[in-house]
Amino acid sequence: MNPQGISPSTKNTSQSKMSFRGKNAVVTGGAGGIGLQVSKQLLAAGAAVAIIDLQDNLEEFVKLRAAHPTQSVMIIKMDVANKKGVEATYEEIAKTFGNIDIVVNVAGIFNDKDVQRTLLVNLGGIINSTLSALPYMDKANGGKGGIIVNMSSVVGLDPMFIIPIYGATKAGIINFTRCLANEKFYQRSGIRFVTVCPGATMTDMFTNFTEKIIFPETSDETYRILDRLNKQSAADVSRCILNVLEKDKNGAVYVIEGKRIFPLDLKPQWTGKEQAL
């Protein structure tokens, strides 16, 4: 990992930048936290945005529409764990927007005590949203291609013993997204896939944190760990995600830490697999 990182304001003249004006974007988990901040950033950059979230945040939604009266802002209440519901939601979005250029999957929860729900929302929700978007983005199916950014976490890269269920879902997101970033698939579909792994970010995830861990005997140690973490804001992470979208690099995995993005070089660990076809 590059120890210096890349600031969202850093210019990269060797790589073309994505223009957001006139693009159609979908953000899951866009009612609050990082997802809401990403939605704001995309709207400010000129994109139309469809927000998928189970939660309501009417006050913020009113503000979004008032701040961007000439842009489309769709708000769809849907549980990303509901596969058929998510498929119907994307059909509705495609009918309204005409095409989908960008998907940023942020929706997720933290509650290791509720194992099934955590798996269904965090990993299942990312899979549901990604696969539901493909038919409308795939060039082989009449789409225009585009980019899908899936949000994992640094705990999907490095184990943190206090949150094994949450960490497992985030590790799964990294592998799922990297699988879809296969170059053969990109050549056919025109869709790029990128994973972002934020460090500790101040969102509702930290509310009543120790009540949601599966090993209550570690509560004291958990508080010590949380106190020592370097924390960043949801707005900082959202700016970094837009920078990642601009880079438009298929298969990339980035850590987001301290207002900077750090590209990772994930080398193969298994040497016994068959050669690529």
Side-chain angles (χ1 to χ4, degrees), residues 79-99:
D79 182 356
V80 292
N82 180 346
K83 180 177 180 291
K84 291 188 180 300
V86 172
E87 290 172 351
T89 295
Y90 270 93
E91 183 178 3
E92 179 182 350
I93 293 168
K95 285 179 179 177
T96 301
F97 282 174
N99 67 281

Side-chain angles (χ1 to χ4, degrees), residues 16-248:
S16 62
K17 294 285 189 179
M18 171 183 281
S19 172
F20 298 107
R21 191 160 302 281
K23 299 291 185 182
N24 299 319
V26 177
V27 181
T28 69
I34 295 171
L36 177 61
Q37 295 301 321
V38 169
S39 299
K40 288 180 177 180
Q41 292 282 333
L42 285 168
L43 285 164
V49 175
I51 293 172
I52 304 173
D53 204 312
L54 186 59
Q55 305 302 317
D56 286 320
N57 194 344
L58 295 179
E59 183 177 348
E60 286 292 344
F61 294 158
V62 168
K63 289 179 182 177
L64 284 180
R65 287 186 165 129
H68 305 281
T70 63
Q71 291 163 250
S72 293
V73 182
M74 293 183 68
I75 312 294
I76 303 172
K77 186 172 183 179
M78 178 53 61
D79 182 356
V80 292
N82 180 346
K83 180 177 180 291
K84 291 188 180 300
V86 172
E87 290 172 351
T89 295
Y90 270 93
E91 183 178 3
E92 179 182 350
I93 293 168
K95 285 179 179 177
T96 301
F97 282 174
N99 67 281
I100 297 170
D101 305 294
I102 299 165
V103 176
V104 183
N105 286 313
V106 179
I109 62 170
F110 171 71
N111 188 348
D112 269 22
K113 281 188 175 180
D114 193 340
V115 175
Q116 191 71 7
R117 181 66 180 161
T118 299
L119 293 172
L120 288 173
V121 173
N122 290 8
L123 182 54
I126 291 275
I127 292 173
N128 290 340
S129 177
T130 299
L131 297 185
S132 295
L134 296 188
Y136 306 103
M137 300 176 73
D138 191 338
K139 286 183 176 180
N141 198 43
K144 297 182 178 180
I147 183 168
I148 296 178
V149 175
N150 288 335
M151 196 173 77
S152 176
S153 166
V154 290
V155 300
L157 294 163
D158 296 325
M160 182 176 284
F161 80 96
I162 60 175
I163 48 175
I165 311 304
Y166 179 84
T169 65
K170 295 302 181 177
I173 290 166
I174 296 170
N175 197 290
F176 169 73
T177 310
R178 292 180 69 205
C179 284
L180 293 182
N182 180 276
E183 187 63 21
K184 297 271 187 197
F185 181 68
Y186 168 68
Q187 292 299 327
R188 190 196 74 187
S189 69
I191 305 171
R192 293 177 170 87
F193 294 87
V194 178
T195 313
V196 292
C197 303
T201 307
M202 295 309 298
T203 66
D204 290 343
M205 175 180 165
F206 286 97
T207 304
N208 301 323
F209 192 92
T210 56
E211 296 177 13
K212 297 178 284 189
I213 59 176
I214 58 176
F215 303 120
E217 65 272 16
T218 67
S219 292
D220 290 344
E221 179 62 18
T222 297
Y223 278 121
R224 286 193 289 270
I225 290 171
L226 294 180
D227 287 343
R228 291 197 299 266
L229 293 176
N230 294 321
K231 300 177 183 68
Q232 57 197 345
S233 72
D236 291 338
V237 173
S238 71
R239 284 188 285 269
C240 288
I241 289 175
L242 254 71
N243 190 231
V244 165
L245 285 168
E246 288 178 335
K247 290 182 179 302
D248 207 17

